[in-house]
Amino acid sequence: LPYTTLFRSGIAAAKKAEGNGFFAKKMYPQAIECYTEAIKHDPSNHILYSNRAMAYSAIGKWKEAKEDGLACIERDKTFLKGYHRAANAMINLGEFVEAEDILNKGLTYNANDPNLLSLLKIAGPRAKEQREAAMSKLPPQERYKAEGNEYFNSSKFPEDRKSTRLNSSHDQLSY
């Protein structure tokens, strides 16, 4: 690696360590400043965004925490804490559908992650309520289409539709 890259990542590591020290002392604004400085020197480091998201969460800056959680995921889609940070912020912003979506994406990397699953227990039912409320405001034709898409996307086809569909002439083989 070129010297400047090593130098910059060294500064980032030092600022991250300083930020972690402030975080441990519950000095969240100072931690955020350190993580921000670290990000300037190493913008591809997903952990810096995760840590700053956690600090933003600690002071209730949910919009910023969400942005950093998403930035973390963008840099490393397998790092589950990024999904947790983003979803937790989304839940606190009342964005339950978005939180459920991001949690399900994270669960594709580890379906048994207890942190993601516990947030999904919170977001899931509220997301369902939000989707139903949004659908109830649609004109009938659009609502039927949205409900059908919802069944399709969640693989919850009504049983009677399955049996009807399987017996329809469209599903017969041509000889």
Side-chain angles (χ1 to χ4, degrees):
L1 287 169
Y3 174 76
T4 54
T5 304
L6 289 173
F7 182 72
R8 290 176 69 78
S9 65
I11 293 172
K15 283 295 181 183
K16 176 185 173 231
E18 191 181 348
N20 290 348
F22 282 127
F23 189 91
K25 295 176 189 167
K26 298 185 183 338
M27 297 171 73
Y28 304 118
Q30 294 87 338
I32 291 165
E33 281 180 38
C34 289
Y35 297 137
T36 300
E37 193 63 30
I39 288 167
K40 286 179 190 169
H41 292 284
D42 190 0
S44 65
N45 186 333
H46 64 282
I47 292 172
L48 300 174
Y49 293 92
S50 175
N51 288 8
R52 192 171 69 175
M54 188 70 180
Y56 277 132
S57 295
I59 58 173
K61 288 198 166 196
W62 302 115
K63 183 177 170 283
E64 293 85 350
K66 171 187 165 180
E67 289 169 3
D68 275 356
L70 293 173
C72 175
I73 295 165
E74 208 174 280
R75 284 155 181 80
D76 183 350
K77 65 181 188 228
T78 65
F79 188 69
L80 297 183
K81 281 185 184 177
Y83 295 91
H84 188 272
R85 306 276 192 256
N88 185 53
M90 290 169 180
I91 288 168
N92 280 283
L93 290 167
E95 299 171 355
F96 300 105
V97 174
E98 295 88 341
E100 183 183 50
D101 289 346
I102 207 80
L103 288 164
N104 284 325
K105 283 181 186 150
L107 288 166
T108 62
Y109 298 101
N110 179 356
N112 300 313
D113 184 80
N115 297 317
L116 299 185
L117 290 170
S118 78
L119 285 182
L120 191 59
K121 284 182 185 171
I122 298 165
R126 301 289 299 274
K128 184 175 188 254
E129 289 170 16
Q130 281 186 338
R131 281 192 302 273
E132 287 171 357
M135 273 191 239
S136 71
K137 294 176 185 164
L138 294 173
Q141 204 64 25
E142 288 181 43
R143 187 173 70 242
Y144 300 141
K145 180 181 176 187
E147 287 170 350
N149 288 341
E150 188 72 21
Y151 280 122
F152 181 81
N153 291 334
S154 62
S155 301
K156 295 177 186 167
F157 299 102
E159 287 308 310
D160 57 308
R161 287 194 188 166
K162 275 186 186 170
S163 59
T164 306
R165 193 174 118 25
L166 293 175
N167 295 330
S168 75
S169 59
H170 296 293
D171 290 322
Q172 301 298 319
L173 292 174
S174 301
Y175 294 100

PDB file of all heavy atoms in Angstrom, residues 72-107:
ATOM      1  N   CYS A  72     -23.017   1.898   6.165  1.00  0.00           N
ATOM      2  CA  CYS A  72     -22.265   0.725   6.634  1.00  0.00           C
ATOM      3  C   CYS A  72     -22.595  -0.489   5.759  1.00  0.00           C
ATOM      4  O   CYS A  72     -21.697  -1.174   5.273  1.00  0.00           O
ATOM      5  CB  CYS A  72     -22.614   0.459   8.099  1.00  0.00           C
ATOM      6  SG  CYS A  72     -21.864  -1.029   8.772  1.00  0.00           S
ATOM      7  N   ILE A  73     -23.882  -0.724   5.540  1.00  0.00           N
ATOM      8  CA  ILE A  73     -24.334  -1.855   4.716  1.00  0.00           C
ATOM      9  C   ILE A  73     -23.799  -1.727   3.286  1.00  0.00           C
ATOM     10  O   ILE A  73     -23.379  -2.707   2.679  1.00  0.00           O
ATOM     11  CB  ILE A  73     -25.876  -1.937   4.691  1.00  0.00           C
ATOM     12  CG1 ILE A  73     -26.418  -2.256   6.083  1.00  0.00           C
ATOM     13  CG2 ILE A  73     -26.358  -2.964   3.667  1.00  0.00           C
ATOM     14  CD1 ILE A  73     -27.914  -1.998   6.239  1.00  0.00           C
ATOM     15  N   GLU A  74     -23.818  -0.495   2.773  1.00  0.00           N
ATOM     16  CA  GLU A  74     -23.335  -0.234   1.413  1.00  0.00           C
ATOM     17  C   GLU A  74     -21.871  -0.662   1.264  1.00  0.00           C
ATOM     18  O   GLU A  74     -21.457  -1.145   0.213  1.00  0.00           O
ATOM     19  CB  GLU A  74     -23.448   1.274   1.154  1.00  0.00           C
ATOM     20  CG  GLU A  74     -23.636   1.681  -0.258  1.00  0.00           C
ATOM     21  CD  GLU A  74     -23.866   3.175  -0.332  1.00  0.00           C
ATOM     22  OE1 GLU A  74     -25.012   3.614  -0.084  1.00  0.00           O
ATOM     23  OE2 GLU A  74     -22.885   3.912  -0.616  1.00  0.00           O
ATOM     24  N   ARG A  75     -21.101  -0.503   2.337  1.00  0.00           N
ATOM     25  CA  ARG A  75     -19.677  -0.818   2.296  1.00  0.00           C
ATOM     26  C   ARG A  75     -19.383  -2.280   2.612  1.00  0.00           C
ATOM     27  O   ARG A  75     -18.369  -2.811   2.188  1.00  0.00           O
ATOM     28  CB  ARG A  75     -18.918   0.119   3.240  1.00  0.00           C
ATOM     29  CG  ARG A  75     -18.786   1.496   2.621  1.00  0.00           C
ATOM     30  CD  ARG A  75     -18.626   2.606   3.636  1.00  0.00           C
ATOM     31  NE  ARG A  75     -18.530   3.902   2.956  1.00  0.00           N
ATOM     32  CZ  ARG A  75     -19.571   4.571   2.497  1.00  0.00           C
ATOM     33  NH1 ARG A  75     -20.800   4.095   2.632  1.00  0.00           N
ATOM     34  NH2 ARG A  75     -19.409   5.736   1.897  1.00  0.00           N
ATOM     35  N   ASP A  76     -20.255  -2.922   3.392  1.00  0.00           N
ATOM     36  CA  ASP A  76     -20.096  -4.356   3.679  1.00  0.00           C
ATOM     37  C   ASP A  76     -21.471  -4.950   3.967  1.00  0.00           C
ATOM     38  O   ASP A  76     -21.981  -4.840   5.078  1.00  0.00           O
ATOM     39  CB  ASP A  76     -19.157  -4.586   4.870  1.00  0.00           C
ATOM     40  CG  ASP A  76     -18.909  -6.073   5.139  1.00  0.00           C
ATOM     41  OD1 ASP A  76     -19.605  -6.935   4.540  1.00  0.00           O
ATOM     42  OD2 ASP A  76     -18.034  -6.378   5.953  1.00  0.00           O
ATOM     43  N   LYS A  77     -22.046  -5.562   2.929  1.00  0.00           N
ATOM     44  CA  LYS A  77     -23.412  -6.074   3.065  1.00  0.00           C
ATOM     45  C   LYS A  77     -23.511  -7.298   3.977  1.00  0.00           C
ATOM     46  O   LYS A  77     -24.604  -7.701   4.343  1.00  0.00           O
ATOM     47  CB  LYS A  77     -24.004  -6.358   1.687  1.00  0.00           C
ATOM     48  CG  LYS A  77     -23.317  -7.450   0.931  1.00  0.00           C
ATOM     49  CD  LYS A  77     -23.947  -7.649  -0.438  1.00  0.00           C
ATOM     50  CE  LYS A  77     -23.349  -8.857  -1.065  1.00  0.00           C
ATOM     51  NZ  LYS A  77     -22.899  -8.792  -2.376  1.00  0.00           N
ATOM     52  N   THR A  78     -22.381  -7.872   4.384  1.00  0.00           N
ATOM     53  CA  THR A  78     -22.425  -9.038   5.277  1.00  0.00           C
ATOM     54  C   THR A  78     -22.267  -8.657   6.753  1.00  0.00           C
ATOM     55  O   THR A  78     -22.377  -9.511   7.627  1.00  0.00           O
ATOM     56  CB  THR A  78     -21.323 -10.058   4.919  1.00  0.00           C
ATOM     57  OG1 THR A  78     -20.044  -9.474   5.164  1.00  0.00           O
ATOM     58  CG2 THR A  78     -21.433 -10.500   3.464  1.00  0.00           C
ATOM     59  N   PHE A  79     -22.006  -7.385   7.030  1.00  0.00           N
ATOM     60  CA  PHE A  79     -21.800  -6.918   8.404  1.00  0.00           C
ATOM     61  C   PHE A  79     -23.166  -6.637   9.036  1.00  0.00           C
ATOM     62  O   PHE A  79     -23.793  -5.612   8.765  1.00  0.00           O
ATOM     63  CB  PHE A  79     -20.913  -5.664   8.400  1.00  0.00           C
ATOM     64  CG  PHE A  79     -20.485  -5.201   9.760  1.00  0.00           C
ATOM     65  CD1 PHE A  79     -19.586  -5.938  10.518  1.00  0.00           C
ATOM     66  CD2 PHE A  79     -20.974  -4.012  10.285  1.00  0.00           C
ATOM     67  CE1 PHE A  79     -19.175  -5.497  11.772  1.00  0.00           C
ATOM     68  CE2 PHE A  79     -20.572  -3.566  11.530  1.00  0.00           C
ATOM     69  CZ  PHE A  79     -19.672  -4.308  12.277  1.00  0.00           C
ATOM     70  N   LEU A  80     -23.628  -7.561   9.863  1.00  0.00           N
ATOM     71  CA  LEU A  80     -25.006  -7.522  10.370  1.00  0.00           C
ATOM     72  C   LEU A  80     -25.301  -6.342  11.284  1.00  0.00           C
ATOM     73  O   LEU A  80     -26.449  -5.894  11.359  1.00  0.00           O
ATOM     74  CB  LEU A  80     -25.345  -8.837  11.066  1.00  0.00           C
ATOM     75  CG  LEU A  80     -25.308 -10.080  10.158  1.00  0.00           C
ATOM     76  CD1 LEU A  80     -25.736 -11.321  10.930  1.00  0.00           C
ATOM     77  CD2 LEU A  80     -26.170  -9.896   8.927  1.00  0.00           C
ATOM     78  N   LYS A  81     -24.294  -5.832  11.961  1.00  0.00           N
ATOM     79  CA  LYS A  81     -24.547  -4.675  12.831  1.00  0.00           C
ATOM     80  C   LYS A  81     -25.053  -3.480  12.027  1.00  0.00           C
ATOM     81  O   LYS A  81     -25.811  -2.667  12.542  1.00  0.00           O
ATOM     82  CB  LYS A  81     -23.281  -4.285  13.610  1.00  0.00           C
ATOM     83  CG  LYS A  81     -23.016  -5.170  14.799  1.00  0.00           C
ATOM     84  CD  LYS A  81     -21.812  -4.649  15.579  1.00  0.00           C
ATOM     85  CE  LYS A  81     -21.480  -5.579  16.726  1.00  0.00           C
ATOM     86  NZ  LYS A  81     -20.261  -5.119  17.437  1.00  0.00           N
ATOM     87  N   GLY A  82     -24.643  -3.368  10.776  1.00  0.00           N
ATOM     88  CA  GLY A  82     -25.133  -2.287   9.925  1.00  0.00           C
ATOM     89  C   GLY A  82     -26.639  -2.370   9.751  1.00  0.00           C
ATOM     90  O   GLY A  82     -27.342  -1.353   9.831  1.00  0.00           O
ATOM     91  N   TYR A  83     -27.139  -3.581   9.525  1.00  0.00           N
ATOM     92  CA  TYR A  83     -28.591  -3.785   9.384  1.00  0.00           C
ATOM     93  C   TYR A  83     -29.302  -3.448  10.695  1.00  0.00           C
ATOM     94  O   TYR A  83     -30.364  -2.838  10.700  1.00  0.00           O
ATOM     95  CB  TYR A  83     -28.895  -5.233   8.977  1.00  0.00           C
ATOM     96  CG  TYR A  83     -28.377  -5.591   7.613  1.00  0.00           C
ATOM     97  CD1 TYR A  83     -27.112  -6.141   7.452  1.00  0.00           C
ATOM     98  CD2 TYR A  83     -29.139  -5.352   6.470  1.00  0.00           C
ATOM     99  CE1 TYR A  83     -26.619  -6.455   6.196  1.00  0.00           C
ATOM    100  CE2 TYR A  83     -28.661  -5.669   5.205  1.00  0.00           C
ATOM    101  CZ  TYR A  83     -27.393  -6.218   5.074  1.00  0.00           C
ATOM    102  OH  TYR A  83     -26.914  -6.523   3.831  1.00  0.00           O
ATOM    103  N   HIS A  84     -28.691  -3.866  11.801  1.00  0.00           N
ATOM    104  CA  HIS A  84     -29.266  -3.602  13.114  1.00  0.00           C
ATOM    105  C   HIS A  84     -29.343  -2.098  13.370  1.00  0.00           C
ATOM    106  O   HIS A  84     -30.371  -1.588  13.813  1.00  0.00           O
ATOM    107  CB  HIS A  84     -28.444  -4.299  14.201  1.00  0.00           C
ATOM    108  CG  HIS A  84     -29.073  -4.228  15.546  1.00  0.00           C
ATOM    109  ND1 HIS A  84     -28.861  -3.177  16.402  1.00  0.00           N
ATOM    110  CD2 HIS A  84     -29.918  -5.076  16.176  1.00  0.00           C
ATOM    111  CE1 HIS A  84     -29.551  -3.370  17.515  1.00  0.00           C
ATOM    112  NE2 HIS A  84     -30.195  -4.517  17.407  1.00  0.00           N
ATOM    113  N   ARG A  85     -28.244  -1.386  13.078  1.00  0.00           N
ATOM    114  CA  ARG A  85     -28.206   0.063  13.306  1.00  0.00           C
ATOM    115  C   ARG A  85     -29.264   0.776  12.453  1.00  0.00           C
ATOM    116  O   ARG A  85     -29.991   1.636  12.948  1.00  0.00           O
ATOM    117  CB  ARG A  85     -26.832   0.640  12.966  1.00  0.00           C
ATOM    118  CG  ARG A  85     -25.658  -0.022  13.645  1.00  0.00           C
ATOM    119  CD  ARG A  85     -25.382   0.505  15.026  1.00  0.00           C
ATOM    120  NE  ARG A  85     -24.096   0.029  15.500  1.00  0.00           N
ATOM    121  CZ  ARG A  85     -23.938  -0.945  16.393  1.00  0.00           C
ATOM    122  NH1 ARG A  85     -24.977  -1.546  16.922  1.00  0.00           N
ATOM    123  NH2 ARG A  85     -22.729  -1.309  16.783  1.00  0.00           N
ATOM    124  N   ALA A  86     -29.311   0.420  11.170  1.00  0.00           N
ATOM    125  CA  ALA A  86     -30.274   1.066  10.262  1.00  0.00           C
ATOM    126  C   ALA A  86     -31.705   0.754  10.683  1.00  0.00           C
ATOM    127  O   ALA A  86     -32.541   1.657  10.762  1.00  0.00           O
ATOM    128  CB  ALA A  86     -30.024   0.612   8.824  1.00  0.00           C
ATOM    129  N   ALA A  87     -32.001  -0.502  10.962  1.00  0.00           N
ATOM    130  CA  ALA A  87     -33.371  -0.904  11.314  1.00  0.00           C
ATOM    131  C   ALA A  87     -33.812  -0.290  12.639  1.00  0.00           C
ATOM    132  O   ALA A  87     -34.957   0.160  12.766  1.00  0.00           O
ATOM    133  CB  ALA A  87     -33.477  -2.422  11.374  1.00  0.00           C
ATOM    134  N   ASN A  88     -32.923  -0.257  13.608  1.00  0.00           N
ATOM    135  CA  ASN A  88     -33.261   0.346  14.896  1.00  0.00           C
ATOM    136  C   ASN A  88     -33.633   1.817  14.706  1.00  0.00           C
ATOM    137  O   ASN A  88     -34.617   2.294  15.275  1.00  0.00           O
ATOM    138  CB  ASN A  88     -32.087   0.201  15.873  1.00  0.00           C
ATOM    139  CG  ASN A  88     -32.432   0.704  17.247  1.00  0.00           C
ATOM    140  OD1 ASN A  88     -33.432   0.304  17.843  1.00  0.00           O
ATOM    141  ND2 ASN A  88     -31.612   1.597  17.770  1.00  0.00           N
ATOM    142  N   ALA A  89     -32.871   2.522  13.891  1.00  0.00           N
ATOM    143  CA  ALA A  89     -33.176   3.926  13.609  1.00  0.00           C
ATOM    144  C   ALA A  89     -34.509   4.056  12.873  1.00  0.00           C
ATOM    145  O   ALA A  89     -35.329   4.913  13.212  1.00  0.00           O
ATOM    146  CB  ALA A  89     -32.041   4.546  12.795  1.00  0.00           C
ATOM    147  N   MET A  90     -34.738   3.181  11.893  1.00  0.00           N
ATOM    148  CA  MET A  90     -35.993   3.220  11.137  1.00  0.00           C
ATOM    149  C   MET A  90     -37.194   2.993  12.058  1.00  0.00           C
ATOM    150  O   MET A  90     -38.221   3.665  11.933  1.00  0.00           O
ATOM    151  CB  MET A  90     -35.972   2.176  10.025  1.00  0.00           C
ATOM    152  CG  MET A  90     -35.011   2.494   8.915  1.00  0.00           C
ATOM    153  SD  MET A  90     -34.820   1.048   7.817  1.00  0.00           S
ATOM    154  CE  MET A  90     -33.655   1.689   6.629  1.00  0.00           C
ATOM    155  N   ILE A  91     -37.062   2.051  12.982  1.00  0.00           N
ATOM    156  CA  ILE A  91     -38.136   1.786  13.942  1.00  0.00           C
ATOM    157  C   ILE A  91     -38.415   3.038  14.767  1.00  0.00           C
ATOM    158  O   ILE A  91     -39.571   3.425  14.968  1.00  0.00           O
ATOM    159  CB  ILE A  91     -37.788   0.568  14.836  1.00  0.00           C
ATOM    160  CG1 ILE A  91     -37.887  -0.719  14.009  1.00  0.00           C
ATOM    161  CG2 ILE A  91     -38.686   0.513  16.072  1.00  0.00           C
ATOM    162  CD1 ILE A  91     -37.293  -1.949  14.686  1.00  0.00           C
ATOM    163  N   ASN A  92     -37.353   3.692  15.217  1.00  0.00           N
ATOM    164  CA  ASN A  92     -37.520   4.908  16.012  1.00  0.00           C
ATOM    165  C   ASN A  92     -38.055   6.079  15.198  1.00  0.00           C
ATOM    166  O   ASN A  92     -38.616   7.014  15.772  1.00  0.00           O
ATOM    167  CB  ASN A  92     -36.207   5.269  16.714  1.00  0.00           C
ATOM    168  CG  ASN A  92     -36.011   4.434  17.951  1.00  0.00           C
ATOM    169  OD1 ASN A  92     -36.618   4.683  18.985  1.00  0.00           O
ATOM    170  ND2 ASN A  92     -35.187   3.398  17.844  1.00  0.00           N
ATOM    171  N   LEU A  93     -37.902   6.023  13.884  1.00  0.00           N
ATOM    172  CA  LEU A  93     -38.474   7.033  12.989  1.00  0.00           C
ATOM    173  C   LEU A  93     -39.902   6.666  12.562  1.00  0.00           C
ATOM    174  O   LEU A  93     -40.540   7.416  11.838  1.00  0.00           O
ATOM    175  CB  LEU A  93     -37.593   7.197  11.745  1.00  0.00           C
ATOM    176  CG  LEU A  93     -36.242   7.865  11.958  1.00  0.00           C
ATOM    177  CD1 LEU A  93     -35.338   7.677  10.741  1.00  0.00           C
ATOM    178  CD2 LEU A  93     -36.421   9.355  12.270  1.00  0.00           C
ATOM    179  N   GLY A  94     -40.380   5.488  12.992  1.00  0.00           N
ATOM    180  CA  GLY A  94     -41.708   5.029  12.602  1.00  0.00           C
ATOM    181  C   GLY A  94     -41.758   4.454  11.205  1.00  0.00           C
ATOM    182  O   GLY A  94     -42.826   4.294  10.632  1.00  0.00           O
ATOM    183  N   GLU A  95     -40.610   4.107  10.645  1.00  0.00           N
ATOM    184  CA  GLU A  95     -40.516   3.548   9.283  1.00  0.00           C
ATOM    185  C   GLU A  95     -40.455   2.022   9.378  1.00  0.00           C
ATOM    186  O   GLU A  95     -39.430   1.402   9.091  1.00  0.00           O
ATOM    187  CB  GLU A  95     -39.271   4.110   8.575  1.00  0.00           C
ATOM    188  CG  GLU A  95     -39.291   5.619   8.428  1.00  0.00           C
ATOM    189  CD  GLU A  95     -37.981   6.206   7.934  1.00  0.00           C
ATOM    190  OE1 GLU A  95     -36.985   5.462   7.776  1.00  0.00           O
ATOM    191  OE2 GLU A  95     -37.947   7.430   7.706  1.00  0.00           O
ATOM    192  N   PHE A  96     -41.573   1.427   9.754  1.00  0.00           N
ATOM    193  CA  PHE A  96     -41.592  -0.004  10.049  1.00  0.00           C
ATOM    194  C   PHE A  96     -41.471  -0.879   8.806  1.00  0.00           C
ATOM    195  O   PHE A  96     -40.821  -1.921   8.852  1.00  0.00           O
ATOM    196  CB  PHE A  96     -42.848  -0.360  10.851  1.00  0.00           C
ATOM    197  CG  PHE A  96     -42.916   0.370  12.154  1.00  0.00           C
ATOM    198  CD1 PHE A  96     -43.783   1.440  12.329  1.00  0.00           C
ATOM    199  CD2 PHE A  96     -42.088   0.019  13.209  1.00  0.00           C
ATOM    200  CE1 PHE A  96     -43.833   2.126  13.541  1.00  0.00           C
ATOM    201  CE2 PHE A  96     -42.119   0.696  14.414  1.00  0.00           C
ATOM    202  CZ  PHE A  96     -43.001   1.758  14.578  1.00  0.00           C
ATOM    203  N   VAL A  97     -42.070  -0.467   7.704  1.00  0.00           N
ATOM    204  CA  VAL A  97     -41.969  -1.241   6.457  1.00  0.00           C
ATOM    205  C   VAL A  97     -40.516  -1.285   5.999  1.00  0.00           C
ATOM    206  O   VAL A  97     -39.990  -2.352   5.659  1.00  0.00           O
ATOM    207  CB  VAL A  97     -42.897  -0.672   5.358  1.00  0.00           C
ATOM    208  CG1 VAL A  97     -42.668  -1.377   4.031  1.00  0.00           C
ATOM    209  CG2 VAL A  97     -44.358  -0.793   5.775  1.00  0.00           C
ATOM    210  N   GLU A  98     -39.855  -0.127   6.019  1.00  0.00           N
ATOM    211  CA  GLU A  98     -38.454  -0.053   5.613  1.00  0.00           C
ATOM    212  C   GLU A  98     -37.589  -0.885   6.561  1.00  0.00           C
ATOM    213  O   GLU A  98     -36.664  -1.569   6.121  1.00  0.00           O
ATOM    214  CB  GLU A  98     -37.968   1.397   5.599  1.00  0.00           C
ATOM    215  CG  GLU A  98     -38.658   2.260   4.557  1.00  0.00           C
ATOM    216  CD  GLU A  98     -39.959   2.912   5.038  1.00  0.00           C
ATOM    217  OE1 GLU A  98     -40.558   2.440   6.043  1.00  0.00           O
ATOM    218  OE2 GLU A  98     -40.393   3.869   4.398  1.00  0.00           O
ATOM    219  N   ALA A  99     -37.878  -0.809   7.864  1.00  0.00           N
ATOM    220  CA  ALA A  99     -37.115  -1.580   8.854  1.00  0.00           C
ATOM    221  C   ALA A  99     -37.274  -3.073   8.596  1.00  0.00           C
ATOM    222  O   ALA A  99     -36.286  -3.819   8.608  1.00  0.00           O
ATOM    223  CB  ALA A  99     -37.569  -1.232  10.268  1.00  0.00           C
ATOM    224  N   GLU A 100     -38.505  -3.510   8.346  1.00  0.00           N
ATOM    225  CA  GLU A 100     -38.740  -4.928   8.069  1.00  0.00           C
ATOM    226  C   GLU A 100     -37.964  -5.372   6.831  1.00  0.00           C
ATOM    227  O   GLU A 100     -37.335  -6.433   6.828  1.00  0.00           O
ATOM    228  CB  GLU A 100     -40.237  -5.187   7.879  1.00  0.00           C
ATOM    229  CG  GLU A 100     -40.562  -6.649   7.651  1.00  0.00           C
ATOM    230  CD  GLU A 100     -42.041  -6.881   7.386  1.00  0.00           C
ATOM    231  OE1 GLU A 100     -42.612  -6.179   6.515  1.00  0.00           O
ATOM    232  OE2 GLU A 100     -42.615  -7.758   8.046  1.00  0.00           O
ATOM    233  N   ASP A 101     -37.970  -4.537   5.789  1.00  0.00           N
ATOM    234  CA  ASP A 101     -37.245  -4.868   4.554  1.00  0.00           C
ATOM    235  C   ASP A 101     -35.747  -5.010   4.807  1.00  0.00           C
ATOM    236  O   ASP A 101     -35.127  -5.974   4.357  1.00  0.00           O
ATOM    237  CB  ASP A 101     -37.477  -3.793   3.478  1.00  0.00           C
ATOM    238  CG  ASP A 101     -38.885  -3.812   2.915  1.00  0.00           C
ATOM    239  OD1 ASP A 101     -39.611  -4.810   3.140  1.00  0.00           O
ATOM    240  OD2 ASP A 101     -39.270  -2.822   2.267  1.00  0.00           O
ATOM    241  N   ILE A 102     -35.164  -4.056   5.531  1.00  0.00           N
ATOM    242  CA  ILE A 102     -33.719  -4.093   5.767  1.00  0.00           C
ATOM    243  C   ILE A 102     -33.350  -5.264   6.669  1.00  0.00           C
ATOM    244  O   ILE A 102     -32.315  -5.901   6.482  1.00  0.00           O
ATOM    245  CB  ILE A 102     -33.192  -2.722   6.294  1.00  0.00           C
ATOM    246  CG1 ILE A 102     -31.729  -2.528   5.904  1.00  0.00           C
ATOM    247  CG2 ILE A 102     -33.336  -2.559   7.774  1.00  0.00           C
ATOM    248  CD1 ILE A 102     -31.514  -2.087   4.508  1.00  0.00           C
ATOM    249  N   LEU A 103     -34.202  -5.582   7.644  1.00  0.00           N
ATOM    250  CA  LEU A 103     -33.939  -6.728   8.521  1.00  0.00           C
ATOM    251  C   LEU A 103     -33.976  -8.029   7.729  1.00  0.00           C
ATOM    252  O   LEU A 103     -33.119  -8.901   7.922  1.00  0.00           O
ATOM    253  CB  LEU A 103     -34.948  -6.758   9.670  1.00  0.00           C
ATOM    254  CG  LEU A 103     -34.750  -5.664  10.719  1.00  0.00           C
ATOM    255  CD1 LEU A 103     -35.981  -5.516  11.589  1.00  0.00           C
ATOM    256  CD2 LEU A 103     -33.510  -5.942  11.555  1.00  0.00           C
ATOM    257  N   ASN A 104     -34.952  -8.157   6.837  1.00  0.00           N
ATOM    258  CA  ASN A 104     -35.024  -9.372   6.018  1.00  0.00           C
ATOM    259  C   ASN A 104     -33.802  -9.514   5.106  1.00  0.00           C
ATOM    260  O   ASN A 104     -33.325 -10.625   4.889  1.00  0.00           O
ATOM    261  CB  ASN A 104     -36.326  -9.405   5.217  1.00  0.00           C
ATOM    262  CG  ASN A 104     -37.503  -9.779   6.097  1.00  0.00           C
ATOM    263  OD1 ASN A 104     -37.378 -10.584   7.020  1.00  0.00           O
ATOM    264  ND2 ASN A 104     -38.660  -9.189   5.834  1.00  0.00           N
ATOM    265  N   LYS A 105     -33.286  -8.397   4.614  1.00  0.00           N
ATOM    266  CA  LYS A 105     -32.046  -8.456   3.814  1.00  0.00           C
ATOM    267  C   LYS A 105     -30.895  -8.944   4.674  1.00  0.00           C
ATOM    268  O   LYS A 105     -30.104  -9.783   4.250  1.00  0.00           O
ATOM    269  CB  LYS A 105     -31.728  -7.089   3.213  1.00  0.00           C
ATOM    270  CG  LYS A 105     -32.581  -6.750   2.014  1.00  0.00           C
ATOM    271  CD  LYS A 105     -32.233  -5.399   1.435  1.00  0.00           C
ATOM    272  CE  LYS A 105     -33.215  -5.048   0.331  1.00  0.00           C
ATOM    273  NZ  LYS A 105     -33.433  -3.613   0.193  1.00  0.00           N
ATOM    274  N   GLY A 106     -30.778  -8.411   5.877  1.00  0.00           N
ATOM    275  CA  GLY A 106     -29.715  -8.836   6.788  1.00  0.00           C
ATOM    276  C   GLY A 106     -29.827 -10.302   7.150  1.00  0.00           C
ATOM    277  O   GLY A 106     -28.822 -11.015   7.238  1.00  0.00           O
ATOM    278  N   LEU A 107     -31.051 -10.767   7.332  1.00  0.00           N
ATOM    279  CA  LEU A 107     -31.273 -12.171   7.706  1.00  0.00           C
ATOM    280  C   LEU A 107     -30.911 -13.139   6.590  1.00  0.00           C
ATOM    281  O   LEU A 107     -30.732 -14.329   6.852  1.00  0.00           O
ATOM    282  CB  LEU A 107     -32.719 -12.375   8.170  1.00  0.00           C
ATOM    283  CG  LEU A 107     -33.027 -11.755   9.549  1.00  0.00           C
ATOM    284  CD1 LEU A 107     -34.524 -11.685   9.786  1.00  0.00           C
ATOM    285  CD2 LEU A 107     -32.329 -12.521  10.662  1.00  0.00           C
TER     286      LEU A 107
END
